[in-house]
Amino acid sequence: MDTKFAIVSDGSCDLPAEEAARKHIHIVHFLVSFDGQTYQKEGVEIGLEDFYQKMVDEPGHFPRTAAPSPEDFYQAFASCAREGKPILCICISTKLSSSMQSAQIAKRMLENEYPNIPVIVQDSLCATLMQSAYVLEACHLRDAGYTLEKAASVLSELRSTARILFTVGSLDYIQHGGRIGKMTGIAGTLLQIKPLITLQDGEIHSSGIRRGRRRSIEGVVDLLVSYLRDNDLTPSDCHILAGYGYDREEAERFRSLTKSRLLSEFDQAPDLPLFQIGATIGVHAGPYSIGFGVIQKSRL
């Protein structure tokens, strides 16, 4: 495929390798560690299945991630530059990671060797599924013939429409990350309280609570319906992705529930691609996170 500009994203976008290859997206991987010393590239040196299985097998163990290095980004940029393509680099929200800082250093490194290759490094204000949707919209603009500068401008305008809507299986990981206090976490566990969470503009917000897993999953679907109705949208106006951590069977039921609900509410049943949530967010949300990434489509 002949494309006008290359798209690079850090691994927070959680696109499957085959989807990234099909869409000509260069992925710069995050690192994950279970002992705080040995770090492996997510999706390359450690697969997501192995990552989540280890979390399930060792529930009291809290892994951590590290952002890609400037050299990691540079290698991806140089590969694109050798083809003579301008580069759009999309990074996880700077409120959540230092990944964009590494990308900006790599941009300056590239300028010394390829001064005629323009590079735009963009803070998506996103993560995981919503970053997936953001990157896919970038592909849509690229394939429609937009220039690098025009595509970056349109994407900047769309950032405010992006959301993650999700819930988790346990409060342990959120508590470990300092998002809630210990006593609140204990009370929530005893009462089987599950939070409904929204990520908007790069920041995490509480969107309510439900008791029990089934009700929390239904609550996430309610959040999606409310998002669409509050913004006078239909499912076809947006990129909507479903995502999960460990349990694929539960995720398939979640997708079926969502498609039935959207058909009932909007008379539309989108394909609703199902992606596995990566380690970048998985270390904070735990193995049983489940939800949506959504962004409005540009009006070409």
Side-chain angles (χ1 to χ4, degrees):
M1 177 189 296
D2 182 29
T3 57
K4 291 184 176 297
F5 59 88
I7 296 174
V8 177
S9 175
D10 64 33
S12 170
C13 70
D14 292 346
L15 287 168
E18 58 275 13
E19 178 73 2
R22 188 173 70 84
K23 294 285 189 179
H24 301 274
I25 302 162
H26 300 259
I27 303 297
V28 182
H29 299 276
F30 272 76
L31 306 172
V32 62
S33 174
F34 281 88
D35 61 10
Q37 297 179 359
T38 303
Y39 283 83
Q40 298 173 292
K41 286 188 178 181
E42 174 198 1
V44 177
E45 297 168 336
I46 181 171
L48 278 181
E49 292 78 9
D50 293 335
F51 166 75
Y52 278 117
Q53 191 63 58
K54 191 170 180 64
M55 291 184 82
V56 170
D57 292 343
E58 303 177 18
H61 200 96
F62 298 96
R64 63 184 67 178
T65 60
S69 70
E71 180 62 24
D72 291 331
F73 277 105
Y74 176 79
Q75 293 300 326
F77 290 174
S79 175
C80 302
R82 284 192 290 268
E83 297 180 1
K85 293 180 180 178
I87 300 164
L88 174 62
C89 178
I90 296 170
C91 295
I92 185 175
S93 170
T94 53
K95 299 175 183 179
L96 301 174
S97 171
S98 63
S99 178
M100 184 171 172
Q101 191 173 33
S102 291
Q104 289 172 324
I105 294 171
K107 174 184 175 179
R108 293 194 291 271
M109 293 165 61
L110 190 80
E111 288 171 348
N112 293 327
E113 190 171 354
Y114 298 94
N116 296 322
I117 298 294
V119 180
I120 294 178
V121 178
Q122 193 168 65
D123 181 355
S124 67
L125 296 179
C126 296
T128 188
L129 300 173
M130 66 193 291
Q131 190 172 337
S132 301
Y134 192 95
V135 171
L136 291 175
E137 181 60 19
C139 293
H140 185 51
L141 295 169
R142 176 200 65 192
D143 297 344
Y146 278 54
T147 65
L148 170 65
E149 292 76 13
K150 179 61 175 176
S153 175
V154 171
L155 288 167
S156 294
E157 294 173 1
L158 290 175
R159 280 187 300 196
S160 64
T161 74
R163 304 283 190 280
I164 297 178
L165 312 168
F166 74 107
T167 189
V168 297
S170 165
L171 296 174
D172 292 347
Y173 294 90
I174 296 176
Q175 178 187 316
H176 182 77
R179 297 294 180 178
I180 59 173
K182 183 175 182 180
M183 293 309 299
T184 302
I186 292 172
T189 299
L190 292 174
L191 295 172
Q192 283 294 296
I193 288 174
K194 310 295 183 183
L196 303 181
I197 303 167
T198 296
L199 182 65
Q200 178 180 356
D201 296 328
E203 297 183 339
I204 295 174
H205 306 274
S206 172
S207 295
I209 58 174
R210 296 287 190 277
R211 288 193 65 179
R213 181 67 166 178
R214 179 179 62 82
R215 289 182 178 178
S216 68
I217 287 177
E218 291 171 349
V220 175
V221 180
D222 289 341
L223 289 179
L224 176 62
V225 171
S226 295
Y227 169 83
L228 294 170
R229 292 211 177 280
D230 291 348
N231 291 282
D232 196 26
L233 299 167
T234 67
S236 63
D237 294 322
C238 302
H239 293 288
I240 305 173
L241 310 175
Y244 69 101
Y246 175 72
D247 194 336
R248 175 80 188 197
E249 290 185 5
E250 181 183 56
E252 293 285 4
R253 295 192 296 270
F254 173 63
R255 175 163 63 174
S256 295
L257 171 67
T258 303
K259 293 178 75 169
S260 296
R261 180 73 183 280
L262 294 179
L263 183 62
S264 173
E265 297 279 353
F266 301 97
D267 199 29
Q268 293 181 8
D271 290 340
L272 204 62
L274 184 60
F275 294 163
Q276 193 167 25
I277 296 168
T280 311
I281 298 302
V283 298
H284 303 292
Y288 295 103
S289 55
I290 195 166
F292 304 108
V294 57
I295 191 172
Q296 292 180 31
K297 296 177 181 176
S298 56
R299 302 184 184 277
L300 299 178

